Amino acid sequence: MKNKILVIIASLFLMACSDSGGSGSSGSTGGGGGASPATVPQPEPVKTQDLVAPDGFTFNPVTAHTLEINLSGSLPERTHLSVYSAYTEGDDGKYIVDYDSKVIDAAMVNGALTIEFSLAESQSTIVAEIWSYDGSLPLQKEFVIDSNPLVWD
């Protein structure tokens, strides 16, 4: 009985130590009798100190802008400004804003306001709306982000 147990243990040990357990990787590519594959030259690694950024490049993806509004005399005393970054233009020429894309929101005094805000560098246009408290539709204006300050007068 002891001999049978020893034979079984020895068999299991030999099977565990052999590399013929179905893995099939013997180091050869199977092509031509042990020839090694051609080595591919590796490119020289680039060091951070070798990188060059063009003049004016910045890692900051946010740009600062100023919006100046001067509509004194043409607006009611109490008005409110909202600026949006996402919108579409309707068939009637009015803008349909995405209210979740509001960039700034500020109260205006006597139709005038100067406000600074930040936008993503990739943002090329915005829409501003001026709301009055009399229930009328807002005044809307689209601004192309190409100059600073943005002026509405």
Side-chain angles (χ1 to χ4, degrees), residues 57-150:
F57 178 79
T58 177
F59 284 105
N60 187 1
V62 177
T63 56
H65 300 279
T66 302
L67 176 60
E68 295 177 1
I69 300 173
N70 188 6
L71 299 174
S72 311
S74 62
L75 291 177
E77 187 175 314
R78 293 184 60 211
T79 52
H80 197 86
L81 170 76
S82 296
V83 176
Y84 303 94
S85 61
Y87 58 92
T88 56
E89 188 172 357
D91 295 335
D92 58 357
K94 300 276 186 195
Y95 297 103
I96 303 163
V97 298
D98 177 0
Y99 293 109
D100 291 331
S101 73
K102 190 181 297 183
V103 176
I104 55 174
D105 197 32
M108 296 177 62
V109 178
N110 296 327
L113 176 69
T114 298
I115 191 163
E116 295 181 1
F117 60 99
S118 297
L119 284 175
E121 190 176 46
S122 61
Q123 188 73 35
S124 60
T125 59
I126 57 172
V127 164
E129 290 186 332
I130 297 177
W131 293 85
S132 62
Y133 291 93
D134 63 4
S136 61
L137 292 175
L139 297 173
Q140 295 181 321
K141 183 170 181 174
E142 180 182 41
F143 291 94
V144 176
I145 310 297
D146 61 355
S147 64
N148 206 13
L150 306 169

